[in-house]
Amino acid sequence: RDQFVLSDSALAEEMLRLTDHATDILFEKSAIEEAPGGPGKGAVGTLVFPVSRFVVDPERFADDDQEPMEERGQGVIYRLTTHGETLRRALRPRERERLLEQYYWPHHAALTQGVDRALEAHGRALIVDGHSFPNRPLPVDRDQSLERPDVCIGTDAFHSPRALVQRLERLCRDRGLTVWVNRPYAG
């Protein structure tokens, strides 16, 4: 807590804005088991990051030079709030290294081990990186469009087979949900 310069109430408000709400419900085990290809098809398990993204964001590149959100103060270790205000004091190099060693690198090692187990057992792996997002863009968001889908499927050309993306789109639409690919969030 000593790294953060916001008051307790301001920090609580910022956490409210940036928390992925209800992911425990959206991605609960029973929903995964009911899905085509669920645990009966060899699911390995769930990996949940143990601390808030305010401490370390496991979704960002550890190298700030590679992380596009670093320009907005929200690289692997957030410096700025969603409104561009100072979030935390400048970290000493060893503090930054310790945070990555304690949270970031173990999380990525566990993810790699899970993928390796799935590949060994089944010859393939599917990672569902589950998030939720607000119905209005945050000031820090690159996409400021007020129109937002119920579901955003983030993809990349290397890791996301088009047939899988199309199947996910159909599953969502069949359930009456609006779905967009890589908008408002990509990757």
Side-chain angles (χ1 to χ4, degrees):
R1 175 65 175 99
D2 74 308
Q3 294 177 358
F4 297 93
V5 300
L6 298 178
S7 68
D8 288 345
S9 62
L11 183 59
E13 286 178 30
E14 188 67 12
M15 287 183 71
L16 186 62
R17 280 190 286 275
L18 275 176
T19 295
D20 287 358
H21 297 279
T23 54
D24 57 333
I25 296 166
L26 291 168
F27 300 98
E28 68 185 333
K29 187 177 178 182
S30 63
I32 293 169
E33 288 174 345
E34 294 169 7
K41 301 289 184 181
V44 173
T46 302
L47 180 62
V48 178
F49 197 62
V51 295
S52 169
R53 68 172 49 137
F54 280 83
V55 178
V56 175
D57 191 333
E59 299 271 311
R60 308 289 197 228
F61 289 111
D63 179 352
D64 288 338
D65 291 335
Q66 293 181 353
E67 178 50 56
M69 288 300 288
E70 174 57 27
E71 73 184 26
R72 295 170 184 242
Q74 294 189 347
V76 69
I77 297 177
Y78 291 13
R79 297 176 293 105
L80 302 177
T81 68
T82 55
H83 289 89
E85 300 161 351
T86 300
L87 173 66
R88 77 185 338 139
R89 66 173 168 75
L91 297 181
R92 295 179 291 278
R94 187 65 191 130
E95 284 180 304
R96 184 183 195 284
E97 290 171 28
R98 268 190 237 127
L99 288 171
L100 295 176
E101 288 168 4
Q102 185 172 0
Y103 300 110
Y104 187 89
W105 298 120
H107 177 79
H108 284 269
L111 179 60
T112 298
Q113 289 170 359
V115 168
D116 289 346
R117 283 193 310 272
L119 291 172
E120 184 177 311
H122 308 288
R124 60 185 174 175
L126 173 63
I127 299 170
V128 176
D129 182 10
H131 295 270
S132 64
F133 55 89
N135 61 357
R136 296 229 181 254
L138 298 169
V140 72
D141 288 346
R142 292 177 180 271
D143 186 333
Q144 289 293 306
S145 172
L146 294 180
E147 185 180 4
R148 293 191 140 204
D150 297 316
V151 175
C152 168
I153 300 172
T155 70
D156 72 43
F158 180 77
H159 293 100
S160 309
R162 185 68 198 142
L164 175 63
V165 173
Q166 289 171 338
R167 184 171 181 195
L168 290 171
E169 287 179 279
R170 266 192 320 276
L171 285 169
C172 291
R173 289 191 177 109
D174 288 350
R175 285 164 176 75
L177 301 169
T178 57
V179 59
W180 295 350
V181 176
N182 288 324
R183 188 161 173 238
Y185 302 103

